[in-house]
Amino acid sequence: MTDTIRKRSRELAVYIMETGATVRAAAAHFGVSKSTVHKDCQRLKTIDLRLFEGVRKVLDENKR
């Protein structure tokens, strides 16, 4: 995994947690696909577990 992907994953996580953004909104903001947002969020398990848990909480809430 490249440093660019790690950095984007962290930036996505922070953005989602700070704004409560949906996957669709985050994808539009960063100019990537919804699939990329999902993959990057899953990658956080190995990059930063605390960020992963925070993002998962927001995304689960948005899903309801």
Side-chain angles (χ1 to χ4, degrees), residues 11-45:
E11 289 174 354
L12 276 165
V14 170
Y15 177 76
I16 290 170
M17 288 189 303
E18 286 180 351
T19 64
T22 62
V23 170
R24 186 175 299 226
H29 181 79
F30 283 88
V32 297
S33 69
K34 293 185 306 181
S35 176
T36 299
V37 173
H38 281 292
K39 287 179 186 176
D40 284 352
C41 289
Q42 287 301 312
R43 287 182 177 115
L44 285 171
K45 281 183 184 178

Side-chain angles (χ1 to χ4, degrees), residues 1-12 40 43-44 47:
M1 185 177 339
T2 66
D3 288 337
T4 305
I5 293 172
R6 286 186 185 98
K7 182 179 177 189
R8 185 183 64 217
S9 295
R10 286 187 178 106
E11 289 174 354
L12 276 165
D40 284 352
R43 287 182 177 115
L44 285 171
I47 298 171

